[in-house]
Amino acid sequence: MNEPDHYRVLGVSPQAPRNEIQAAYRRRLRETHPDRGGDEGEFHLVQGAWETLSHPGLRREYDLLRFGRRAARRYGRAAAKPAHRKVRGWNVAPAPAPVQHAFPAEGALVAVPWHARLRRLRPVYRPSAWTAAALCASAAAVWVFMGLGYLGQALASDSWLFLVLAIPATIAVAMIVAVQTSRALRRRPDRSPPPPTGRLVIAFLFAAAVIALAGPSTPWGWALGVYVLTGSAMAWTVKRLRYTIALRRSVGGALRQFNAFGPAGTRPKADRPTGKLLREVLTNLPAARLFVALPAEADTRVPHAIVCGDRIALLCAPIGRDGADVDSVNLPEAVKALDAALPDAHVQGWVLWPTLPETARAGEAAAVHDVAVSQAAADIGLWLAAAGPVYDLPVLQALRMRLAAVPAPRTADRAPAVRT
């Protein structure tokens, strides 16, 4: 860490309570104050140490970065993960209703706004918890029915050898499915579970072999094959259901409450034309959500990103306000980085020019566009609207996790999401 040792600056131990830190801060403040002959550099170090150690969240962040596992044991496992940082939400104020002008002359040409061509549909969620629950219940019902049917065929058989082999096989498959399902219930549903392709292939080959050996007209062969096949998919359906419910809990509530998100403690800004563009798109696309200061790479961030369905529009100015902001030069790299990090999303970038340049940039990528900020709402809005009125929960959750991984700045100032 490049940050100084705040505990050594104040002369306290890392386990010191807040009242002891406050007393040490006041003592060191009197010793290092420039008006009392103290060193100005030491005075600023004392101020920085107090700003960090007096705030519980900043102190936890500092301890985790400096002391690692020891601090993680003190604060708990959850504190060592980026999920403990919070994502801030806002509501961008909608644009005022347009004034209806009366045209006395018949046949006059009237400009139709881009959003007048859109169908106002209610946003829907994806994936659906009802679909995942129905899939899980169907797999469980088929698995239980086929297991009981296979046992019934074994009990009705005259062969004692078949009965002796059938009961242990049924119990073994049931125990394997129970163990896999219990593991799926214990694990945290952080990401979308991949389908168990290898397990399903092995189960399908086993089922095909059993049906071939028993004969296609034998009921117990089909019962055993389907029993093993559905049992191999049971754990995945449970994981899928838990992941879908977790998505709706973590993202669904925030989507209903806010339409803009950013890292905790950020002060996002936008000039007047860009703020007008953002309000117009968010007002006329019900499923659109705004992400500010979105990390693209390790040292760059996108000032504004609008998400609608599985489409993400990255917006930036020709020259960034901050050195870490994406601009017209590194926007193609930001588009490539987010496109690689979110394989299920379609990412494109727009450079918002006050006045369009006479010639396009050399080597401009197809996913990066130059557009005048006053005319950009139609292009961006129509491209986003093509995704449909859908909340793509996995994409939104991935973007929120990227925001949650950003350390909170050391300031208590707050500002609205879009300034005009």
Side-chain angles (χ1 to χ4, degrees):
M1 289 180 61
N2 297 325
E3 209 166 359
D5 191 344
H6 296 319
Y7 294 105
R8 182 172 296 180
V9 169
L10 297 181
V12 296
S13 67
Q15 291 80 22
R18 190 181 188 279
N19 55 359
E20 184 179 344
I21 293 175
Q22 185 175 7
Y25 162 69
R26 291 174 177 175
R27 184 183 68 252
R28 291 287 293 154
L29 199 64
R30 291 192 296 267
E31 294 172 358
T32 60
H33 201 284
D35 294 341
R36 297 191 176 187
D39 183 62
E40 187 176 358
E42 284 286 329
F43 177 75
H44 289 301
L45 287 178
V46 172
Q47 290 281 10
W50 170 249
E51 289 179 1
T52 300
L53 300 183
S54 62
H55 192 283
L58 297 181
R59 183 182 180 183
R60 177 177 57 185
E61 194 77 37
Y62 174 79
D63 290 345
L64 290 172
L65 291 174
R66 176 167 286 277
F67 303 109
R69 293 183 178 178
R70 288 183 295 167
R73 286 195 296 268
R74 184 172 21 157
Y75 291 111
R77 288 185 179 179
K81 297 184 179 181
H84 78 275
R85 305 187 185 111
K86 294 183 179 179
V87 176
R88 208 175 159 215
W90 302 271
N91 276 317
V92 177
V99 180
Q100 299 294 334
H101 297 282
F103 296 92
E106 295 184 1
L109 296 178
V110 181
V112 179
W114 63 274
H115 47 81
R117 293 173 264 170
L118 302 178
R119 294 179 58 192
R120 295 301 184 90
L121 300 176
R122 182 183 177 186
V124 296
Y125 291 91
R126 188 171 59 187
S128 172
W130 291 106
T131 304
L135 180 62
C136 182
S138 301
V142 172
W143 180 68
V144 172
F145 179 76
M146 289 299 173
L148 294 177
Y150 176 63
L151 280 179
Q153 292 288 329
L155 293 175
S157 176
D158 297 333
S159 174
W160 63 270
L161 180 61
F162 177 51
L163 180 61
V164 169
L165 295 177
I167 295 177
T170 306
I171 296 175
V173 173
M175 292 181 61
I176 293 173
V177 172
V179 169
Q180 294 293 332
T181 306
S182 63
R183 289 180 179 177
L185 291 174
R186 287 197 302 266
R187 292 177 182 175
R188 291 182 57 185
D190 293 331
R191 54 183 179 178
S192 178
T197 308
R199 196 180 302 167
L200 287 175
V201 169
I202 295 175
F204 179 79
L205 294 177
F206 176 81
V210 168
I211 294 173
L213 290 175
S217 59
T218 307
W220 70 264
W222 286 94
L224 179 59
V226 177
Y227 176 66
V228 174
L229 191 61
T230 53
S232 63
M234 274 292 298
W236 177 78
T237 59
V238 173
K239 291 180 183 178
R240 186 69 182 176
L241 177 60
R242 294 192 68 228
Y243 172 70
T244 307
I245 295 175
L247 277 180
R248 293 179 67 89
R249 286 181 178 175
S250 60
V251 187
L255 289 177
R256 289 188 293 270
Q257 189 174 2
F258 305 108
N259 64 354
F261 305 95
T266 52
R267 298 184 61 187
K269 300 178 181 179
D271 52 23
R272 189 175 296 274
T274 305
K276 181 181 178 182
L277 161 68
L278 296 176
R279 284 194 301 270
E280 182 177 350
V281 174
L282 293 175
T283 303
N284 295 287
L285 293 179
R289 291 296 180 266
L290 174 66
F291 287 80
V292 296
L294 180 67
E297 294 180 297
D299 54 348
T300 59
R301 62 188 181 191
V302 181
H304 304 100
I306 305 179
V307 183
C308 187
D310 60 350
R311 298 196 174 194
I312 306 175
L314 308 182
L315 314 181
C316 71
I319 301 176
R321 290 175 174 264
D322 197 327
D325 286 348
V326 171
D327 53 17
S328 60
V329 177
N330 53 11
L331 181 59
E333 287 75 12
V335 171
K336 291 179 181 178
L338 284 175
D339 194 38
L342 304 170
D344 297 332
H346 303 280
V347 186
Q348 291 198 14
W350 276 266
V351 182
L352 306 177
W353 296 84
T355 304
L356 275 176
E358 296 182 0
T359 58
R361 290 172 294 152
E364 182 181 5
V368 179
H369 313 276
D370 289 317
V371 65
V373 65
S374 58
Q375 306 294 329
D379 295 342
I380 299 172
L382 292 174
W383 182 76
L384 290 172
V390 174
Y391 289 139
D392 197 313
L393 297 185
V395 173
L396 290 166
Q397 175 73 345
L399 294 178
R400 282 174 58 86
M401 290 302 294
R402 294 180 77 89
L403 294 180
V406 178
R410 304 176 185 278
T411 176
D413 298 336
R414 293 293 182 264
V418 178
R419 284 186 170 184
T420 56

